[in-house]
Amino acid sequence: MFQAEQNTRPDEGRQTFTARDLLAIGFRQRRLMIHTFLGIFSIAVVIALLLPKKYEAQMKILVRHERVEQVVSPERESPVQWPTQVSEEELQSEAELIRSRDLLGKVVVACELQTRGGGGSFWNRQGENDEQKIARAVLKLEKDLTVQPIKLTNLISATYKSSDPQVAARVLNSLAGLYLEKHLAMHRAPGQFEFFHQQAEDYRKALANAEEKLTSFSQEQGVVNPALEKDISVRKLAEFKAEAMGAQATIAESRQRIQTIESQLATLPDRQTTQVRTSDNPQLMQNMKSKLLELELHHTDLLSKFEPTYRPVQDVEEQIAQTKAAIAAAEKAPLRDETTDRDPTYEALRAELAKAKANLAATQAGAAATSALVRSYGKENEQLDRKELLHQDMLRAAKADEENYMLYLRKAEEARISDALDRQRFSNVVVAEPAAVPFTSQARWLVVVVLGVLFASFASVILALVVDRWDPSFRTPQEVESFLGSPVVAAFPRNGE
C-alpha cells in the first residue's frame, strides 16, 4: 500500500466523516480496542474486589411549626403567630444548617474522625497539626455525608457512609444532637432573659424614684392632688366672680335707690301740724293789769304830792300808757298754740334711706372682700397650674416607668419560659428516625464494574480514533485519488483481505 507523510496530505477534497467510516475504523483497530477494553475492565474488576466495604447509616429529621418562636418586640402584647405549613425554603435552610462547616467540625471532634482514615485504618500525615487534621476530616465528612429534603414531606434525610458501621451511626447521632443545639441557638437571641430582667430591674428602680418624687412633691408643695384642688379652686373662683358681679349690680341698685329716696325726701317736710289752739295768756294779762294798777296807784300818790308837770309824774303816766297799749295789743293778738308731729312718710323714707346706705356700705365691703378673694384664687390658680404641670409630668414619668417595668417583667417571664423550653429540647425540629447501626454493606462492586465497563468502552473507542487519525498509511482508493489527484486503476487487498 502506498505511504506518504501526513503533513503533506492536502485537506481539500476530503470526504465527510460518516458512520460507515466509524465502523471501518473499528474494524481496522479492533485488536487495539479489544485489548484496551479488557485491560481497563480487568483493572475495574480488581478495584471492585479490593474496594473496602461501606456501611451507610440513615437519619430523618422532622421540621414542624408546633412551637411558635418568640418575637422580641417593644409591644405590651406579643403578636399572635399561628402555626403555618413548612415551606421548601425552610427545609433547605435547615439542610444547609446541618451541612454547615462549624457543625461538621464539632461532629469530627466529638467522634474523633480526625484520627481515622479511609477503610478504618489510622493515619497521621507528617507535619500536620490538629487544626489541619480536623479540616481534612471535615472535608471527608462533607464528601461522605448527604443531606437533602425528602420531596412532598417535612422530612430531611441525612445519610453517612463509613467503613465502620458503629462510626456511621455515631456520626449521624452526634450530628443530630449538635444540630438540635445549634437550631435552638440560631432561633433565639442569646441573653434575652438577662436583658429583660436587667431592664425590668432598672425600670423598677426608676418607678420607685418617681413615686418618691411624687411623695416629696406633695410634702414640699403642700398639695395632694393639684388637678382636683385646681378644679375646686376654679369652681370657687367662678362662684366668687359671680358674687362680685352680683355685688356690683347690688351697689348700682343701692345707689340708684338712695338717689331716688333723697329726691323724694327733698320734696317732703320733716314735720306736720296736728292741732292749733287760740287763747289769751291769762298770767300775762294778770301781770300786766296788776302792773297797771300799781302804776295808777303810784300816779295818784304822786299827784297828791306833786304837780302834773312833775317829771316823775309824767314818767309814770307814760308807763301807764305803755301798759295800757300792751294790754290792748295783747287783747288784739291772743296766744296761738299749735301742736306738730313727725311726718310718717318722711320718716319712712328717711329710714329707708338709712337702710339703703347701710346696705350699700355692707355691699361695698362685701364686694371689696369678694374682689380680694377673686384675686387670691386667681393667683392660687396660676400656682396650681404650674404645680399641676409639674405633677402631671411626674405622673407621666411614673406611669411610663410602671408600664415599661410591667412590659419588661412580662418579657422576662416569656424569655424564662423560652429558655426552659430550650433546656428541655422543645423545638420545631425533632429526630423522626435516629440513625441505627447498619449491618449490611453497600454493593459497591457492581457500581465499580458498571463504571469500569462504561469507561473501558469509551476509552477504547477514543484510543482507536486517535491511533487511526495519526496513522499515515493510505487505507482506501479514495485517499490515494485525493492525495495524487489521479484515478486509481487497481487496488490489491493486504494479506489476502
Side-chain angles (χ1 to χ4, degrees), residues 450-485:
V450 172
L451 292 177
V453 170
L454 295 177
F455 182 75
S457 301
F458 181 77
S460 59
V461 171
I462 295 299
L463 184 61
L465 291 175
V466 171
V467 171
D468 189 79
R469 174 68 177 82
W470 291 99
D471 187 5
S473 302
F474 293 111
R475 292 174 291 274
T476 62
Q478 290 79 9
E479 292 180 356
V480 176
E481 292 179 356
S482 176
F483 181 77
L484 297 178

Side-chain angles (χ1 to χ4, degrees), residues 91-92 95 98-99 146-151 155-159:
L91 292 175
Q92 292 291 344
I98 296 174
R99 289 192 291 263
T146 303
V147 180
Q148 60 183 2
I150 302 177
K151 293 183 178 180
L155 295 173
I156 298 176
S157 174
T159 58

Side-chain angles (χ1 to χ4, degrees), residues 149-448:
I150 302 177
K151 293 183 178 180
L152 304 179
T153 65
N154 294 344
L155 295 173
I156 298 176
S157 174
T159 58
Y160 176 70
K161 299 176 182 179
S162 176
S163 59
D164 189 347
Q166 300 291 336
V167 171
R170 187 173 63 175
V171 166
L172 287 183
N173 290 327
S174 299
L175 177 64
L178 294 172
Y179 160 69
L180 291 178
E181 293 179 0
K182 185 170 184 178
H183 173 84
L184 292 174
M186 292 293 294
H187 287 77
R188 69 179 180 91
Q192 283 188 23
F193 174 74
E194 291 76 9
F195 171 76
F196 289 128
H197 179 71
Q198 182 62 37
Q199 291 296 318
E201 185 64 21
D202 292 342
Y203 278 108
R204 186 191 64 80
K205 294 179 181 178
L207 177 60
N209 189 20
E211 291 176 348
E212 184 178 356
K213 287 183 179 179
L214 284 173
T215 304
S216 301
F217 175 83
S218 300
Q219 295 175 354
E220 294 173 358
Q221 301 297 331
V223 292
V224 178
N225 192 340
L228 179 59
E229 294 185 11
K230 179 186 174 183
D231 292 339
I232 296 174
S233 179
V234 168
R235 286 197 296 268
K236 289 290 185 181
L237 179 61
E239 292 175 1
F240 286 125
K241 283 186 177 180
E243 290 182 5
M245 295 176 64
Q248 294 297 328
T250 303
I251 289 173
E253 182 184 358
S254 298
R255 288 176 178 174
Q256 183 65 33
R257 184 180 180 83
I258 289 172
Q259 291 179 1
T260 303
I261 293 174
E262 287 178 348
S263 63
Q264 289 179 354
L265 285 175
T267 60
L268 293 176
D270 56 347
R271 298 183 69 84
Q272 65 178 355
T273 303
T274 57
Q275 184 179 1
V276 179
R277 184 175 60 183
T278 304
S279 63
D280 295 334
N281 191 350
Q283 186 176 3
L284 178 60
M285 290 299 290
Q286 184 179 358
N287 291 333
M288 291 180 65
K289 288 179 179 180
S290 297
K291 183 65 176 177
L292 178 60
L293 180 58
E294 290 177 0
L295 288 174
E296 286 179 348
L297 291 174
H298 184 61
H299 180 266
T300 301
D301 185 42
L302 288 176
L303 284 178
S304 63
K305 296 177 178 181
F306 302 102
E307 291 294 330
T309 59
Y310 187 62
R311 185 62 182 172
V313 176
Q314 293 179 354
D315 291 337
V316 171
E317 289 179 352
E318 289 179 0
Q319 291 179 1
I320 292 172
Q322 291 178 356
T323 302
K324 289 181 178 180
I327 291 172
E331 290 178 350
K332 290 181 180 180
L335 183 62
R336 184 181 177 87
D337 187 11
E338 292 185 359
T339 303
T340 60
D341 198 359
R342 295 182 180 276
D343 189 356
T345 304
Y346 182 85
E347 292 297 328
L349 289 175
R350 192 175 66 174
E352 188 68 24
L353 178 61
K355 183 180 179 180
K357 289 182 177 180
N359 289 337
L360 176 60
T363 304
Q364 288 177 342
T370 304
S371 299
L373 288 174
V374 168
R375 290 191 296 271
S376 176
Y377 274 103
K379 294 180 181 179
E380 184 178 358
N381 282 337
E382 293 178 358
Q383 295 177 358
L384 287 175
D385 284 337
R386 292 191 294 270
K387 293 178 181 180
E388 183 184 10
L389 291 177
L390 293 175
H391 190 259
Q392 287 180 352
D393 187 36
M394 296 173 69
L395 283 177
R396 283 193 296 268
K399 186 177 180 180
D401 291 336
E402 182 181 4
E403 290 179 353
N404 289 329
Y405 170 65
M406 296 304 299
L407 169 65
Y408 283 107
L409 191 64
R410 189 178 299 106
K411 293 293 184 180
E413 181 62 19
E414 293 177 358
R416 187 192 66 80
I417 295 174
S418 179
D419 290 343
L421 292 176
D422 292 341
R423 286 192 296 269
Q424 296 296 327
R425 297 292 184 90
F426 287 99
S427 175
N428 282 332
V429 292
V430 294
V431 179
E433 181 181 336
V437 178
F439 295 102
T440 57
S441 61
Q442 291 182 318
R444 301 173 62 193
W445 62 271
L446 181 60
V447 177
V448 174

